[in-house]
Amino acid sequence: MAAGKKKSSNVTLPSRFQKTLSSIWQDKHMVLFKAEYTFLITAVLWLLEIVINIWVIQRVAYTEIDWKAYMDEVEGVINGTYDYTQLKGDTGPLVYPAGFVYIFTGLYYLTDHGQNIRLGQYVFAVFYLITLFLVFRIYHHTKKVPPYVFFFICCASYRIHSIFILRLFNDPVAMMLLFGAINLFLDGHWTLGCAMYSLAVSVKMNVLLFAPGLLFLLLSEFGLWKTLPKLTLCAVIQLLLGLPFLLVNPLGYVSRAFDLGRQFLFKWTVNWRFLPEDVFLNRYFHLVLLLAHITTLLLFALKRWKRSGNSIWSILKDPSERKETVQKLDADHTVLVLFTSNFIGMCFSRSLHYQFYVWYFHTLPYLLWSGGVKKLAHLLRVLILGLIELSWNTYPSTNYSSLSLHVCHLIILLCLWLNPTPALPSQRSENKAKRN
């Protein structure tokens, strides 16, 4: 009997595999267009990216921009300097939080004090592949974007490959940790996800652009009192990581690592090239952008992120005490809120530099295919992706490249605003049943 059962199980596995292959063959003309084939296409592309990264590292010249400065900054810490105001590199003072110092100290030793650039490139190639895996896993969870779009994520962006493996910026490290946190949120590990999110913030402060969306999700899922411990965890991680520097010069650490008022150079701006330089540097202009940023976030929270039929104030209550029907957050709503929160920050940023492209590049397809304008055809969405890519690859930036970037941002933002308020899962099931 045991032998018979073993034989039966051996027959079942090939049978399932054959059925899968048969289904793919029957739908071969739709494989690139049906979201259920996301896993298959992304797996092939991920393997292809291994070859692409090796080829780029071997064939394309490395460009020194910030790597040496990073190594100089962490070398100062290694030599015993814990006063942040005394830490600097070729490009200026150290302006990143403590998590950056620890990670790049590890890279300092791994790459023979920063001298083995080629090894550093391969380490960042691994970071790239991990990031891509985490991004693809998010898209697999949501199944909203047609698989053919992932070819643009992988093969069509010279700038992203450059940021990772030809420039060795710290931005990709922060985003890798951020996408890891989002994956944990989607798996229901909110506390661990918050810890990972705080680690991402400790590498570079841009990750705070996701914070308004994350706060909204935490309140929606847990209410105010159960959210506070998770926020406390994020704060404690920042405190522990920064402790060696806080003990020496607390004001110096906070003012350098979390400098929200840092002035950017006009010559590097990607998004505001069409403005006169005096306007770009004007503090009143920065204040207008900040107010527009906050206002837009509030409007989306009140009108688009909130579930239909729910009061915005109800999210402060414990889920068990709410009068409205409490539903767990689904993957689509979670990702939409987080990606939109970050995108709004990008739209109203005081300046975007070329390495900042990685802050939202992998989220753009999701945002475009989440818009509420059904007439926005696939071709137009792909065109917008292409125009954004072109804007970020125009060096130095021009009036036209900056303006086209803003136009594309505006179109995406308007489409997201026109997106219907997320329905409860039960409402979606009812709507689907009616259509069937």
Side-chain angles (χ1 to χ4, degrees), residues 29 49 78 107 203 247 315 359 391 393 433 436:
H29 60 292
E49 277 287 359
I78 292 168
L107 292 172
V203 176
L247 291 174
I315 66 173
W359 294 3
S391 297
N393 278 287
N436 294 335

Side-chain angles (χ1 to χ4, degrees), residues 324-436:
E324 300 91 347
T325 304
V326 177
Q327 296 282 352
K328 289 290 182 182
L329 293 167
D330 62 351
D332 189 34
H333 191 197
T334 300
V335 174
L336 181 62
V337 170
L338 288 171
F339 283 7
T340 303
S341 174
N342 179 64
F343 180 72
I344 291 170
M346 296 292 286
C347 289
F348 298 104
S349 176
R350 287 188 290 119
S351 185
L352 296 175
H353 295 178
Y354 286 96
Q355 67 268 32
F356 298 178
Y357 191 20
V358 77
W359 294 3
Y360 77 152
F361 170 78
H362 294 102
T363 73
L364 289 172
Y366 186 87
L367 294 172
L368 274 166
W369 267 264
S370 295
V373 182
K374 293 182 179 179
K375 293 182 180 180
L376 194 64
H378 286 259
L379 184 60
L380 183 54
R381 290 184 173 106
V382 171
L383 177 62
I384 291 172
L385 285 176
L387 286 173
I388 291 175
E389 178 73 17
L390 182 62
S391 297
W392 283 94
N393 278 287
T394 301
Y395 177 80
S397 61
T398 65
N399 291 345
Y400 295 112
S401 66
S402 291
L403 281 169
S404 65
L405 185 63
H406 279 288
V407 170
C408 291
H409 284 176
L410 180 61
I411 292 171
I412 296 173
L413 196 61
L414 288 175
C415 289
L416 289 170
W417 178 256
L418 294 172
N419 189 35
T421 303
L424 296 171
S426 57
Q427 292 173 331
R428 286 202 297 272
S429 299
E430 291 174 7
N431 293 337
K432 186 177 181 181
K434 288 178 182 178
R435 287 196 301 269
N436 294 335

Side-chain angles (χ1 to χ4, degrees), residues 4 27 103 106 113 176 183 186 193 205 230 234 243 284 290-291 298 304 314 357 364 368 374 382 386 421:
D27 281 352
I103 290 173
H113 300 186
M176 177 180 67
N183 273 270
L186 294 180
M205 201 171 48
K230 293 173 174 55
C234 292
L243 193 59
Y284 290 106
L290 178 61
L291 291 174
L298 288 173
R304 289 297 173 262
S314 67
Y357 191 20
L364 289 172
L368 274 166
K374 293 182 179 179
V382 171
T421 303

